[in-house]
Amino acid sequence: MALPARHHSRSRVGKRRSHFALKANNLIACPHCKRPIPAHRVCPHCGYYKGQEVIDVYKGLSKKEKKQKQKEIAQEAK
Ligand SMILES: [Zn+2]
């Protein structure tokens, strides 16, 4: 294993670590359902992108889940 030739001061370590902070994702409100979504992505809640429905968000859901999701979306549209 590599062995550091010189002592690393706490100050030097701190300066390196000052760049490690994570940035929050850039969330915008979906223009269709108003929920927060990442910019430039298809909305995972309503399936809309650029004013068009591009994915079927009800696919793979049971009849009960589908009904519940429709209710949620209708409520948020108000
Ligand atoms: Zn949406």
Side-chain angles (χ1 to χ4, degrees):
M1 249 170 66
L3 183 67
R6 289 245 176 258
H7 174 72
H8 234 176
S9 68
R10 297 309 302 171
S11 161
R12 187 169 276 271
V13 170
K15 278 186 217 167
R16 171 167 42 87
R17 290 183 185 167
S18 71
H19 303 286
F20 286 1
L22 296 176
K23 270 191 198 162
N25 287 331
N26 183 26
L27 297 180
I28 58 156
C30 168
H32 189 252
C33 70
K34 313 294 179 209
R35 285 210 211 179
I37 57 162
H40 314 293
R41 298 288 192 286
V42 174
C43 176
H45 310 294
C46 64
Y48 272 69
Y49 188 73
K50 280 188 164 181
Q52 277 187 338
E53 192 175 354
V54 288
I55 55 168
D56 184 6
V57 290
Y58 302 120
K59 201 179 174 184
L61 295 180
S62 71
K63 218 173 172 183
K64 198 175 171 184
E65 289 169 326
K66 189 175 170 177
K67 204 171 171 184
Q68 197 178 358
K69 185 140 189 164
Q70 277 175 335
K71 208 172 155 186
E72 272 178 32
I73 290 175
Q75 205 160 35
E76 278 158 19
K78 280 176 194 172

